[in-house]
PDB file of all heavy atoms in Angstrom:
ATOM      1  N   ASN A 142      78.654 121.091  78.672  1.00 90.00           N
ATOM      2  CA  ASN A 142      78.437 119.719  78.180  1.00 90.00           C
ATOM      3  C   ASN A 142      79.564 119.171  77.193  1.00 90.00           C
ATOM      4  O   ASN A 142      79.380 118.127  76.559  1.00 90.00           O
ATOM      5  CB  ASN A 142      77.099 119.667  77.403  1.00 90.00           C
ATOM      6  CG  ASN A 142      75.959 119.883  78.387  1.00 90.00           C
ATOM      7  OD1 ASN A 142      75.915 119.366  79.440  1.00 90.00           O
ATOM      8  ND2 ASN A 142      75.024 120.782  77.939  1.00 90.00           N
ATOM      9  N   ARG A 143      80.688 119.928  77.192  1.00 90.00           N
ATOM     10  CA  ARG A 143      81.758 119.409  76.391  1.00 90.00           C
ATOM     11  C   ARG A 143      82.476 118.211  77.109  1.00 90.00           C
ATOM     12  O   ARG A 143      82.427 118.124  78.311  1.00 90.00           O
ATOM     13  CB  ARG A 143      82.849 120.546  76.331  1.00 90.00           C
ATOM     14  CG  ARG A 143      82.518 121.667  75.388  1.00 90.00           C
ATOM     15  CD  ARG A 143      82.870 121.331  73.968  1.00 90.00           C
ATOM     16  NE  ARG A 143      82.685 122.474  73.091  1.00 90.00           N
ATOM     17  CZ  ARG A 143      83.599 123.425  72.827  1.00 90.00           C
ATOM     18  NH1 ARG A 143      84.808 123.269  73.346  1.00 90.00           N
ATOM     19  NH2 ARG A 143      83.372 124.438  72.054  1.00 90.00           N
ATOM     20  N   ARG A 144      83.106 117.390  76.320  1.00 90.00           N
ATOM     21  CA  ARG A 144      83.952 116.386  76.845  1.00 90.00           C
ATOM     22  C   ARG A 144      85.314 117.056  77.308  1.00 90.00           C
ATOM     23  O   ARG A 144      85.642 118.003  76.695  1.00 90.00           O
ATOM     24  CB  ARG A 144      84.206 115.259  75.846  1.00 90.00           C
ATOM     25  CG  ARG A 144      83.097 114.375  75.624  1.00 90.00           C
ATOM     26  CD  ARG A 144      83.346 113.410  74.517  1.00 90.00           C
ATOM     27  NE  ARG A 144      84.706 112.895  74.668  1.00 90.00           N
ATOM     28  CZ  ARG A 144      84.992 111.652  74.508  1.00 90.00           C
ATOM     29  NH1 ARG A 144      84.092 110.756  74.292  1.00 90.00           N
ATOM     30  NH2 ARG A 144      86.244 111.228  74.625  1.00 90.00           N
ATOM     31  N   THR A 145      85.958 116.463  78.220  1.00 89.00           N
ATOM     32  CA  THR A 145      87.131 117.109  78.688  1.00 89.00           C
ATOM     33  C   THR A 145      88.295 117.068  77.699  1.00 89.00           C
ATOM     34  O   THR A 145      89.311 117.783  77.938  1.00 89.00           O
ATOM     35  CB  THR A 145      87.622 116.531  80.021  1.00 89.00           C
ATOM     36  OG1 THR A 145      87.820 115.069  79.860  1.00 89.00           O
ATOM     37  CG2 THR A 145      86.638 116.652  81.129  1.00 89.00           C
ATOM     38  N   ASP A 146      88.203 116.311  76.667  1.00 86.00           N
ATOM     39  CA  ASP A 146      89.291 116.307  75.675  1.00 86.00           C
ATOM     40  C   ASP A 146      88.925 117.303  74.553  1.00 86.00           C
ATOM     41  O   ASP A 146      89.703 117.421  73.575  1.00 86.00           O
ATOM     42  CB  ASP A 146      89.569 114.937  75.035  1.00 86.00           C
ATOM     43  CG  ASP A 146      88.329 114.271  74.539  1.00 86.00           C
ATOM     44  OD1 ASP A 146      87.232 114.919  74.528  1.00 86.00           O
ATOM     45  OD2 ASP A 146      88.451 113.076  74.077  1.00 86.00           O
ATOM     46  N   GLN A 147      87.838 118.069  74.749  1.00 88.00           N
ATOM     47  CA  GLN A 147      87.508 119.062  73.741  1.00 88.00           C
ATOM     48  C   GLN A 147      87.673 120.510  74.288  1.00 88.00           C
ATOM     49  O   GLN A 147      87.044 121.397  73.771  1.00 88.00           O
ATOM     50  CB  GLN A 147      85.983 118.878  73.352  1.00 88.00           C
ATOM     51  CG  GLN A 147      85.731 117.567  72.590  1.00 88.00           C
ATOM     52  CD  GLN A 147      84.218 117.290  72.529  1.00 88.00           C
ATOM     53  OE1 GLN A 147      83.470 117.614  73.377  1.00 88.00           O
ATOM     54  NE2 GLN A 147      83.817 116.634  71.407  1.00 88.00           N
ATOM     55  N   ILE A 148      88.441 120.635  75.299  1.00 90.00           N
ATOM     56  CA  ILE A 148      88.721 121.978  75.846  1.00 90.00           C
ATOM     57  C   ILE A 148      90.214 122.177  75.864  1.00 90.00           C
ATOM     58  O   ILE A 148      90.980 121.243  75.858  1.00 90.00           O
ATOM     59  CB  ILE A 148      88.103 122.128  77.240  1.00 90.00           C
ATOM     60  CG1 ILE A 148      88.588 121.096  78.217  1.00 90.00           C
ATOM     61  CG2 ILE A 148      86.561 122.080  77.162  1.00 90.00           C
ATOM     62  CD1 ILE A 148      88.038 121.260  79.577  1.00 90.00           C
ATOM     63  N   SER A 149      90.579 123.484  75.979  1.00 88.00           N
ATOM     64  CA  SER A 149      91.996 123.843  75.951  1.00 88.00           C
ATOM     65  C   SER A 149      92.631 123.622  77.335  1.00 88.00           C
ATOM     66  O   SER A 149      91.907 123.399  78.383  1.00 88.00           O
ATOM     67  CB  SER A 149      92.157 125.334  75.578  1.00 88.00           C
ATOM     68  OG  SER A 149      91.686 126.167  76.640  1.00 88.00           O
ATOM     69  N   GLY A 150      93.962 123.810  77.387  1.00 85.00           N
ATOM     70  CA  GLY A 150      94.641 123.582  78.626  1.00 85.00           C
ATOM     71  C   GLY A 150      94.239 124.540  79.749  1.00 85.00           C
ATOM     72  O   GLY A 150      94.035 124.178  80.882  1.00 85.00           O
ATOM     73  N   GLY A 151      94.063 125.836  79.360  1.00 86.00           N
ATOM     74  CA  GLY A 151      93.580 126.832  80.375  1.00 86.00           C
ATOM     75  C   GLY A 151      92.229 126.506  80.871  1.00 86.00           C
ATOM     76  O   GLY A 151      91.910 126.662  82.053  1.00 86.00           O
ATOM     77  N   GLN A 152      91.370 126.007  79.967  1.00 89.00           N
ATOM     78  CA  GLN A 152      89.990 125.597  80.292  1.00 89.00           C
ATOM     79  C   GLN A 152      90.009 124.377  81.211  1.00 89.00           C
ATOM     80  O   GLN A 152      89.331 124.399  82.230  1.00 89.00           O
ATOM     81  CB  GLN A 152      89.145 125.382  79.070  1.00 89.00           C
ATOM     82  CG  GLN A 152      88.823 126.657  78.288  1.00 89.00           C
ATOM     83  CD  GLN A 152      88.288 126.399  76.984  1.00 89.00           C
ATOM     84  OE1 GLN A 152      88.532 125.305  76.391  1.00 89.00           O
ATOM     85  NE2 GLN A 152      87.665 127.392  76.286  1.00 89.00           N
ATOM     86  N   ALA A 153      90.862 123.438  80.919  1.00 91.00           N
ATOM     87  CA  ALA A 153      90.985 122.262  81.796  1.00 91.00           C
ATOM     88  C   ALA A 153      91.389 122.660  83.195  1.00 91.00           C
ATOM     89  O   ALA A 153      90.885 122.081  84.154  1.00 91.00           O
ATOM     90  CB  ALA A 153      91.959 121.324  81.122  1.00 91.00           C
ATOM     91  N   GLN A 154      92.319 123.633  83.197  1.00 89.00           N
ATOM     92  CA  GLN A 154      92.725 124.128  84.508  1.00 89.00           C
ATOM     93  C   GLN A 154      91.601 124.689  85.304  1.00 89.00           C
ATOM     94  O   GLN A 154      91.457 124.477  86.566  1.00 89.00           O
ATOM     95  CB  GLN A 154      93.836 125.221  84.183  1.00 89.00           C
ATOM     96  CG  GLN A 154      94.046 126.223  85.287  1.00 89.00           C
ATOM     97  CD  GLN A 154      94.978 125.516  86.299  1.00 89.00           C
ATOM     98  OE1 GLN A 154      96.177 125.541  86.021  1.00 89.00           O
ATOM     99  NE2 GLN A 154      94.448 125.164  87.405  1.00 89.00           N
ATOM    100  N   ARG A 155      90.733 125.446  84.629  1.00 90.00           N
ATOM    101  CA  ARG A 155      89.641 126.039  85.308  1.00 90.00           C
ATOM    102  C   ARG A 155      88.521 124.977  85.756  1.00 90.00           C
ATOM    103  O   ARG A 155      87.903 125.100  86.775  1.00 90.00           O
ATOM    104  CB  ARG A 155      88.944 127.102  84.486  1.00 90.00           C
ATOM    105  CG  ARG A 155      89.885 128.335  84.315  1.00 90.00           C
ATOM    106  CD  ARG A 155      89.012 129.663  84.323  1.00 90.00           C
ATOM    107  NE  ARG A 155      88.369 129.853  83.061  1.00 90.00           N
ATOM    108  CZ  ARG A 155      88.921 130.364  82.020  1.00 90.00           C
ATOM    109  NH1 ARG A 155      90.087 130.799  82.062  1.00 90.00           N
ATOM    110  NH2 ARG A 155      88.212 130.500  80.894  1.00 90.00           N
ATOM    111  N   VAL A 156      88.372 123.962  84.945  1.00 93.00           N
ATOM    112  CA  VAL A 156      87.478 122.913  85.310  1.00 93.00           C
ATOM    113  C   VAL A 156      88.052 122.169  86.577  1.00 93.00           C
ATOM    114  O   VAL A 156      87.219 121.886  87.464  1.00 93.00           O
ATOM    115  CB  VAL A 156      87.273 121.869  84.164  1.00 93.00           C
ATOM    116  CG1 VAL A 156      86.393 120.716  84.622  1.00 93.00           C
ATOM    117  CG2 VAL A 156      86.660 122.563  82.976  1.00 93.00           C
ATOM    118  N   ALA A 157      89.288 121.881  86.596  1.00 94.00           N
ATOM    119  CA  ALA A 157      89.908 121.231  87.669  1.00 94.00           C
ATOM    120  C   ALA A 157      89.708 122.082  89.001  1.00 94.00           C
ATOM    121  O   ALA A 157      89.377 121.575  90.064  1.00 94.00           O
ATOM    122  CB  ALA A 157      91.449 121.024  87.516  1.00 94.00           C
ATOM    123  N   LEU A 158      89.827 123.409  88.815  1.00 92.00           N
ATOM    124  CA  LEU A 158      89.582 124.336  89.986  1.00 92.00           C
ATOM    125  C   LEU A 158      88.075 124.287  90.355  1.00 92.00           C
ATOM    126  O   LEU A 158      87.838 124.228  91.569  1.00 92.00           O
ATOM    127  CB  LEU A 158      90.022 125.714  89.485  1.00 92.00           C
ATOM    128  CG  LEU A 158      90.322 126.746  90.541  1.00 92.00           C
ATOM    129  CD1 LEU A 158      91.393 126.222  91.462  1.00 92.00           C
ATOM    130  CD2 LEU A 158      90.778 128.019  89.911  1.00 92.00           C
ATOM    131  N   ALA A 159      87.203 124.360  89.417  1.00 93.00           N
ATOM    132  CA  ALA A 159      85.767 124.352  89.731  1.00 93.00           C
ATOM    133  C   ALA A 159      85.412 123.113  90.404  1.00 93.00           C
ATOM    134  O   ALA A 159      84.680 123.036  91.348  1.00 93.00           O
ATOM    135  CB  ALA A 159      84.985 124.523  88.390  1.00 93.00           C
ATOM    136  N   ARG A 160      85.902 121.986  89.891  1.00 94.00           N
ATOM    137  CA  ARG A 160      85.591 120.667  90.507  1.00 94.00           C
ATOM    138  C   ARG A 160      86.026 120.558  91.977  1.00 94.00           C
ATOM    139  O   ARG A 160      85.319 120.023  92.773  1.00 94.00           O
ATOM    140  CB  ARG A 160      86.317 119.540  89.666  1.00 94.00           C
ATOM    141  CG  ARG A 160      85.906 118.195  90.135  1.00 94.00           C
ATOM    142  CD  ARG A 160      86.632 117.116  89.301  1.00 94.00           C
ATOM    143  NE  ARG A 160      88.075 117.021  89.464  1.00 94.00           N
ATOM    144  CZ  ARG A 160      88.868 116.188  88.960  1.00 94.00           C
ATOM    145  NH1 ARG A 160      88.440 115.259  88.102  1.00 94.00           N
ATOM    146  NH2 ARG A 160      90.142 116.176  89.278  1.00 94.00           N
ATOM    147  N   ALA A 161      87.210 121.140  92.233  1.00 94.00           N
ATOM    148  CA  ALA A 161      87.733 121.095  93.575  1.00 94.00           C
ATOM    149  C   ALA A 161      87.020 122.090  94.511  1.00 94.00           C
ATOM    150  O   ALA A 161      86.897 121.847  95.698  1.00 94.00           O
ATOM    151  CB  ALA A 161      89.240 121.344  93.642  1.00 94.00           C
ATOM    152  N   LEU A 162      86.525 123.153  93.963  1.00 93.00           N
ATOM    153  CA  LEU A 162      85.925 124.164  94.792  1.00 93.00           C
ATOM    154  C   LEU A 162      84.464 123.918  95.087  1.00 93.00           C
ATOM    155  O   LEU A 162      83.848 124.316  96.062  1.00 93.00           O
ATOM    156  CB  LEU A 162      86.038 125.615  94.105  1.00 93.00           C
ATOM    157  CG  LEU A 162      87.412 126.249  94.293  1.00 93.00           C
ATOM    158  CD1 LEU A 162      87.443 127.511  93.488  1.00 93.00           C
ATOM    159  CD2 LEU A 162      87.694 126.594  95.802  1.00 93.00           C
ATOM    160  N   ALA A 163      83.809 123.106  94.128  1.00 93.00           N
ATOM    161  CA  ALA A 163      82.426 122.873  94.199  1.00 93.00           C
ATOM    162  C   ALA A 163      81.887 122.365  95.490  1.00 93.00           C
ATOM    163  O   ALA A 163      80.939 122.883  96.099  1.00 93.00           O
ATOM    164  CB  ALA A 163      81.892 121.987  93.057  1.00 93.00           C
ATOM    165  N   PRO A 164      82.532 121.440  96.170  1.00 93.00           N
ATOM    166  CA  PRO A 164      82.064 120.928  97.418  1.00 93.00           C
ATOM    167  C   PRO A 164      82.383 121.881  98.599  1.00 93.00           C
ATOM    168  O   PRO A 164      82.156 121.510  99.718  1.00 93.00           O
ATOM    169  CB  PRO A 164      82.853 119.622  97.623  1.00 93.00           C
ATOM    170  CG  PRO A 164      83.413 119.287  96.300  1.00 93.00           C
ATOM    171  CD  PRO A 164      83.714 120.585  95.692  1.00 93.00           C
ATOM    172  N   ALA A 165      82.861 123.098  98.322  1.00 91.00           N
ATOM    173  CA  ALA A 165      83.115 124.070  99.362  1.00 91.00           C
ATOM    174  C   ALA A 165      84.048 123.450 100.427  1.00 91.00           C
ATOM    175  O   ALA A 165      83.663 123.413 101.574  1.00 91.00           O
ATOM    176  CB  ALA A 165      81.911 124.669  99.954  1.00 91.00           C
ATOM    177  N   PRO A 166      85.298 123.069  99.994  1.00 93.00           N
ATOM    178  CA  PRO A 166      86.168 122.440 101.020  1.00 93.00           C
ATOM    179  C   PRO A 166      86.597 123.486 102.043  1.00 93.00           C
ATOM    180  O   PRO A 166      86.588 124.648 101.779  1.00 93.00           O
ATOM    181  CB  PRO A 166      87.305 121.934 100.167  1.00 93.00           C
ATOM    182  CG  PRO A 166      87.361 122.879  98.990  1.00 93.00           C
ATOM    183  CD  PRO A 166      85.965 123.212  98.782  1.00 93.00           C
ATOM    184  N   LYS A 167      87.087 123.051 103.244  1.00 91.00           N
ATOM    185  CA  LYS A 167      87.644 123.914 104.214  1.00 91.00           C
ATOM    186  C   LYS A 167      89.026 124.483 103.712  1.00 91.00           C
ATOM    187  O   LYS A 167      89.370 125.594 103.959  1.00 91.00           O
ATOM    188  CB  LYS A 167      87.883 123.144 105.522  1.00 91.00           C
ATOM    189  CG  LYS A 167      86.610 122.786 106.213  1.00 91.00           C
ATOM    190  CD  LYS A 167      86.615 123.101 107.759  1.00 91.00           C
ATOM    191  CE  LYS A 167      85.351 122.947 108.360  1.00 91.00           C
ATOM    192  NZ  LYS A 167      84.804 121.640 108.379  1.00 91.00           N
ATOM    193  N   VAL A 168      89.683 123.590 103.017  1.00 94.00           N
ATOM    194  CA  VAL A 168      90.990 123.990 102.446  1.00 94.00           C
ATOM    195  C   VAL A 168      91.200 123.486 101.005  1.00 94.00           C
ATOM    196  O   VAL A 168      90.721 122.359 100.732  1.00 94.00           O
ATOM    197  CB  VAL A 168      92.120 123.284 103.326  1.00 94.00           C
ATOM    198  CG1 VAL A 168      93.490 123.580 102.743  1.00 94.00           C
ATOM    199  CG2 VAL A 168      92.021 123.732 104.795  1.00 94.00           C
ATOM    200  N   LEU A 169      91.667 124.245 100.160  1.00 95.00           N
ATOM    201  CA  LEU A 169      91.915 123.871  98.793  1.00 95.00           C
ATOM    202  C   LEU A 169      93.448 123.664  98.594  1.00 95.00           C
ATOM    203  O   LEU A 169      94.211 124.536  98.911  1.00 95.00           O
ATOM    204  CB  LEU A 169      91.404 124.835  97.785  1.00 95.00           C
ATOM    205  CG  LEU A 169      91.581 124.430  96.321  1.00 95.00           C
ATOM    206  CD1 LEU A 169      90.488 123.450  95.986  1.00 95.00           C
ATOM    207  CD2 LEU A 169      91.505 125.573  95.317  1.00 95.00           C
ATOM    208  N   LEU A 170      93.809 122.495  98.100  1.00 96.00           N
ATOM    209  CA  LEU A 170      95.272 122.192  97.928  1.00 96.00           C
ATOM    210  C   LEU A 170      95.568 122.343  96.401  1.00 96.00           C
ATOM    211  O   LEU A 170      94.836 121.781  95.578  1.00 96.00           O
ATOM    212  CB  LEU A 170      95.620 120.772  98.391  1.00 96.00           C
ATOM    213  CG  LEU A 170      95.175 120.503  99.845  1.00 96.00           C
ATOM    214  CD1 LEU A 170      95.458 119.023 100.159  1.00 96.00           C
ATOM    215  CD2 LEU A 170      95.897 121.394 100.778  1.00 96.00           C
ATOM    216  N   LEU A 171      96.604 123.066  96.082  1.00 95.00           N
ATOM    217  CA  LEU A 171      96.936 123.225  94.620  1.00 95.00           C
ATOM    218  C   LEU A 171      98.413 122.743  94.388  1.00 95.00           C
ATOM    219  O   LEU A 171      99.343 123.291  94.963  1.00 95.00           O
ATOM    220  CB  LEU A 171      96.826 124.644  94.183  1.00 95.00           C
ATOM    221  CG  LEU A 171      95.409 125.237  94.378  1.00 95.00           C
ATOM    222  CD1 LEU A 171      95.375 126.200  95.634  1.00 95.00           C
ATOM    223  CD2 LEU A 171      94.904 125.999  93.164  1.00 95.00           C
TER     224      LEU A 171
END
Side-chain angles (χ1 to χ4, degrees):
Chain A
N142 295 316
R143 286 275 185 93
R144 285 172 46 132
T145 55
D146 55 4
Q147 296 168 324
I148 57 178
S149 72
Q152 288 164 342
Q154 161 80 76
R155 290 217 287 273
V156 176
L158 200 56
R160 184 178 71 175
L162 283 173
K167 292 224 168 66
V168 177
L169 185 76
L170 308 175
L171 302 107

